[in-house]
Each structure stands twice: as C-alpha cells, then as structure tokens.
Amino acid sequence: MAKKLIGIDLGGTTIKFAFIDTKGNVLTKWRIPTNISEHGSHIVPDMIKSISDQMRKDDYNASDFYGIGMGTPGAVNREKGTVVGAYNLNWDIVQPVGATISANLNLPILIDNDANSAALGEYWKGAGDKAKDVVFITLGTGVGGGVIANGKLVHGINGGAGEVGHITVVPNGYQCTCGKRGCLEQYASATGVVHIAKDMAKAFTGHSRIKELIDGDEDLSSKMVFFLADNGDILANQIVDRVCSYLGLALSHIGNTLNPENIIIGGGVSNAGNTLLQPTTRYFQENAFPSVRDSTRLKLAQLGNDAGIIGAASLALQFRNNQPFGTK
C-alpha cells in the first residue's frame, strides 16, 4: 500500500485534518473544535487523540504514513517544532508542539506558518498552475501571505518573509495591530473594508444602503459591501474601488520585487470574485513595471478552506527520504 500524508490546519475556532496521498488527493478529512481554555493546553492532546481515532476508524497505523505537516498561527521555529505567540490559541509561551505530536503518534512532523501552508496548497494543487514562482495572499480577518520562489517557500532570516499584510499602502494611515500605520491589512482585510466603508460614509451625501446601515448602527460586513457593489450601490462601488486601489498597489510592489508567474488571492474577502479581481488587476497594472505587468498574473485561489490542510500535508513529502524530525 502506498504511503500517505497527514495534514493539520490549526485555527482559533477549528482544527482541520486530512489524510492525503502523495499526489495531493484528499482521502479523508475531518475537523474538531479548538479548545483554547487553560492556556490552550488541550489543543495538542486533542489533535493527537483525533488523529489516533481516525487512524483506527480507517484501519491505518503509523507505518502507512510518511509523516505529518501542520500549519499554525503564531511564530514557528521550524527546526525545533515549537510555536509561540499564537494569541488566538492562548499560546503565549513556547509550545513544544512538534516533539509532543511526533512522540505520541510515532511519526515525523514539520510545522510552518498557516499562511505559508495555504500558499503551498494553492501552489501544489490549486491556482499555482505548476508555476515555480508564486505569491499567495490571504484576505481574511487579517492579511497574510506566502512566497514560493523556484518551488521553495521563502522564510527569510527571521521567518518574516511573506508578511504582505504589513506593506504600507497609506503613509501615516490607520493604526495597525503590528504597531505601524497604514498597513495593507487595515485596508484590504474584512475588518479593513468595513473601516473604509464607515469613513467614506461620513462624507457621502447620496442614497446608499451602506450609509443607511451605518447611520442606523446596524451590522455591516465586507461581504455586504461587495454584494451591494454588485447590485449597483454607488457608495459600495466607491468603497470597493478604494480597497482594490490599495490592494493593487501592494501587489504591484510584490510583483516589481519578485516578478512571480502568479499572485494568488485567497481568503474570505476573495469570495467577492471578479468584483474584487478586476479592479485590483487594473490598479496592479497601472503601478507595475512594464515587464512585470506583462508577465505576472493575478488569480483567485481555487482550494478554499482546503488550501491549508493540503499545503500542510505537502510539508510531509520531505519525509519520503526518511529525514528525521526537525530537519530542514
């Protein structure tokens, strides 16, 4: 029987798992809630138990797998398999995640940042389209990203490569949680879209459902903004244009620096589809160097919520050569 891979996509509310073959086909996938109580001390034991239970259910044992790949929030030490600073998991001190999982499941494991894992997923089985140079950007509650150059993830000297959400698009702009001002994350994330909407509504004098919602202290989401833009709301279209101008500008900086074959846009905000992609592409082309404009293509992600588990599982392909836990 051909050996398989295990992928883990650890999130603040849900942990996703999959058994995947070496061609990237999902064989079994499941999920459990993330229990972040008691400083997140239940998370790793819950993962170990869930994988063990699923192995028994599918009649597998450790020898049927090459190893485990995992994507997680927080700062990852890939060599040691530790995670720290994943505050949405209540992991505020160093967690020996890799060593604990490896010892209990008798399998090697590699851990990386969750955005990097999603980038690998799209690169391997999604919109990467067999290109060797790909940048992935995820627009969700925040903005993350991953850079793949010549088929390899780029991590940087301190693991900071791919932090595309912190490209400055408005000098001295909105305050970012990172401490800087004007970061892309504050303008193109789901929360950023709503922030822009509220600011633009203050000066808008025409008729708009968005202005009515804001003036009435009703809930407004980025999804609603794009929906209303699709349905002809003038203010919504102005907001979308503003968001896309910032996103296109940031992506042009990435393109001018790296000239990847594909820049892939994923995350919840990307569900807006061409309403997001078309104006973003226009602003990208306005700001990109001519040779970059003519060669780098902006695309929407294809794998949705499966990108993280598929990309995480692909990390375990490195164990086909029987490399030990913690190897580079």
Side-chain angles (χ1 to χ4, degrees):
M1 184 189 297
K3 286 197 176 188
K4 301 160 189 66
L5 314 167
I6 300 175
I8 306 173
D9 182 12
L10 174 57
T13 57
T14 304
I15 309 171
K16 305 183 191 76
F17 304 85
F19 296 154
I20 295 175
D21 69 21
T22 55
K23 294 182 179 179
N25 300 305
V26 177
L27 306 173
T28 305
K29 67 177 179 178
W30 72 101
R31 60 176 62 198
I32 62 173
T34 308
N35 181 356
I36 63 170
S37 65
E38 299 181 63
H39 299 284
S41 61
H42 300 282
I43 293 172
V44 172
D46 285 354
M47 288 193 288
I48 292 166
K49 182 179 185 302
S50 186
I51 292 171
S52 297
D53 290 348
Q54 194 65 43
M55 279 185 178
R56 281 192 294 273
K57 191 179 296 184
D58 291 356
D59 198 24
Y60 292 140
N61 56 51
S63 63
D64 293 315
F65 297 90
Y66 283 115
I68 304 167
M70 176 178 160
T72 177
V76 179
N77 184 315
R78 291 173 296 115
E79 285 71 38
K80 294 181 179 179
T82 59
V83 182
V84 69
Y87 300 111
N88 61 335
L89 304 176
N90 277 337
W91 281 354
D92 47 6
I93 60 172
V94 174
Q95 306 289 319
V97 179
T100 305
I101 293 175
S102 183
N104 281 272
L105 293 176
N106 197 29
L107 281 167
I109 182 171
L110 280 177
I111 304 175
D112 213 320
N113 173 269
D114 49 2
N116 283 344
S117 295
L120 282 173
E122 289 290 343
Y123 162 75
W124 189 26
K125 297 297 293 183
D129 199 27
K130 298 182 172 61
K132 290 292 185 184
D133 296 279
V134 172
V135 174
F136 175 75
I137 179 168
T138 175
L139 310 176
T141 306
V143 174
V147 177
I148 296 170
N150 197 28
K152 302 287 186 183
L153 267 175
V154 177
H155 291 96
I157 192 65
N158 197 34
E163 289 289 355
V164 296
H166 299 287
I167 294 172
T168 301
V169 291
V170 180
N172 300 312
Y174 294 155
Q175 180 72 53
C176 185
T177 54
C178 76
K180 297 200 309 103
R181 286 188 174 272
C183 294
L184 177 66
E185 181 169 293
Q186 297 303 311
Y187 295 86
S189 65
T191 50
V193 172
V194 173
H195 194 168
I196 289 174
K198 289 180 177 178
D199 273 3
M200 292 184 69
K202 293 174 186 175
F204 186 77
T205 56
H207 174 73
S208 166
R209 178 58 181 152
I210 285 184
K211 188 168 178 65
E212 290 174 356
L213 289 169
I214 292 170
D215 289 347
D217 281 333
E218 296 183 57
D219 288 339
L220 178 67
S221 66
S222 61
K223 183 178 180 181
M224 177 65 75
V225 170
F226 283 99
F227 172 79
L228 289 172
D230 276 339
N231 285 275
D233 188 291
I234 295 172
L235 176 58
N237 275 287
Q238 291 175 358
I239 295 162
V240 168
D241 186 72
R242 179 80 59 87
V243 169
C244 292
S245 71
Y246 295 135
L247 180 58
L249 176 63
L251 297 185
S252 75
H253 295 331
I254 294 168
N256 290 343
T257 304
L258 298 171
N259 190 202
E261 185 169 338
N262 296 314
I263 297 178
I264 301 167
I265 305 171
V269 176
S270 74
N271 291 332
N274 283 329
T275 305
L276 175 78
L277 183 64
Q278 289 178 353
T280 299
T281 299
R282 184 176 76 250
Y283 284 111
F284 169 82
Q285 291 175 341
E286 284 180 8
N287 291 285
F289 186 66
S291 63
V292 172
R293 181 185 64 219
D294 297 339
S295 56
T296 293
R297 185 180 174 196
L298 269 55
K299 303 175 72 174
L300 294 171
Q302 296 176 355
L303 298 180
N305 288 332
D306 285 350
I309 48 172
I310 291 173
S314 75
L315 291 167
L317 286 168
Q318 298 179 47
F319 297 122
R320 285 185 295 187
N321 299 324
N322 295 316
Q323 296 184 44
F325 166 74
T327 189
K328 291 186 179 180

